[in-house]
Amino acid sequence: SEAPSEAPSEAPSEASSEAPSDAPSDVPTLPPAATPIPSSAPSASPTMDIRTQVLDATLSFSGISDPSTFSFSDMDALDTPQQWALKFLLADDSILLDENTPLILACQRYSLMTMFFSLNGEEWEGTPTWATSTDECTWEGITCTETLVDATTLGTLDASSSGRLRQRQLHDETTMERIVTKITLPDKNLAGSIPNEIMAFEHVTDLHLFKNGLTGRLPESIYNLANLQRLYLDDNDLRGFISDDIGKLENLEDVTLYGNQFSGPLPKGLSKLKKLNRFWASSMFFTGSLPTEMGDMESLKNLFIENNQLVSQIPSEMGQLENLRDLRIFGNILTGDIPATFSNLV
């Protein structure tokens, strides 16, 4: 089907292979050489001891990684993206991590490196500065913004919090830091499953990963990105259900999912997305009925769910969508008449 007439300029389209306009356009001509994955644990030194303490506190503080995926006692014990990220940060990274480093910054760098190793980073196209000892805010596809965040550091943790922290501890102190707010990596040859560590980017407004080779299911942690406004995952090989927890992403304005293998019912949680302008989920394997709750999506302008396996009548509640301009529901197994309430849609 033809691309929607009101698609925003930065959003992906079926006909174009160009990345959104806010994706980085200039690739450095002389990038620093990529750092290889360390093959052994770092030798003991005071500096390394501090780095280990910072990262240990970071992972305990944030809870973003399953403890079974990393080890500080034996750096060669596990063959996981999380362990490779730790090896890089402990052995090969010259960016300073000390007791005064805000743990949120250590978490940010660790999570980006985990993403790099989880998604076949060594084969990415046009990303030469990733996995090097440079500021992660300068890495291709990463945009950072000065943001007020929690100021917890290793030096400010209470003595009672030594060792493994059992749960996140928020302090009253805050600090302005450069925090990741956009991840734009379309058509970069990403491959693999989105890691749970995506939850670390709680200030991200834009996640553009379309036209790649992403596989598997969406991690449940993606539904914790409360500031997310634009989610572009089309043209990958993702599968599974879309959780009702998508309703937790209350700031979402634009979602594109087409070109994947998603299945199951359309999530009722969509009804909680009061700011959503476009939901594009064409030509997949969604089943069941059209949720009556969709009538609550007051900002919805474009709804593209054609060529799925939906079986139902069209809910009369959809006639409440006063801002709806483009509705595509053909190619399903819909029954009954068009509701009289649709006369309200002008």
Side-chain angles (χ1 to χ4, degrees), residues 130-240:
W130 278 72
T132 61
S133 292
T134 54
D135 181 355
E136 67 268 18
C137 291
T138 66
W139 293 353
E140 289 79 13
I142 299 300
T143 300
C144 295
T145 304
E146 288 284 338
T147 306
L148 190 66
V149 294
D150 178 66
T152 301
T153 66
L154 181 67
T156 60
L157 290 176
D158 297 333
S160 60
S161 302
S162 60
R164 306 290 304 172
L165 299 176
R166 294 304 176 186
Q167 51 184 234
R168 184 176 175 87
Q169 299 184 13
L170 294 177
H171 292 246
D172 293 334
E173 296 83 3
T174 56
T175 181
M176 292 293 293
E177 301 290 349
R178 297 181 71 201
I179 301 298
V180 174
T181 52
K182 293 183 180 181
I183 301 175
T184 54
L185 293 169
D187 202 13
K188 296 293 186 184
N189 200 36
L190 278 63
S193 298
I194 299 173
N196 185 69
E197 286 75 12
I198 196 76
M199 70 184 289
F201 309 116
E202 59 188 70
H203 296 279
V204 158
T205 61
D206 291 70
L207 184 60
H208 302 185
L209 303 179
F210 59 92
K211 295 185 184 299
N212 282 295
L214 301 179
T215 57
R217 298 172 180 269
L218 293 181
E220 288 296 316
S221 59
I222 202 169
Y223 302 116
N224 293 325
L225 302 181
N227 290 294
L228 194 61
Q229 297 176 18
R230 286 163 288 274
L231 176 62
Y232 301 147
L233 298 176
D234 52 278
D235 291 317
N236 282 285
D237 193 26
L238 296 165
R239 57 193 63 232

Side-chain angles (χ1 to χ4, degrees), residues 101-117:
T101 302
L103 297 188
I104 193 169
L105 292 187
C107 182
Q108 173 171 283
R109 194 165 179 84
Y110 162 79
S111 299
L112 285 173
M113 286 306 304
T114 299
M115 182 176 171
F116 177 83
F117 289 124

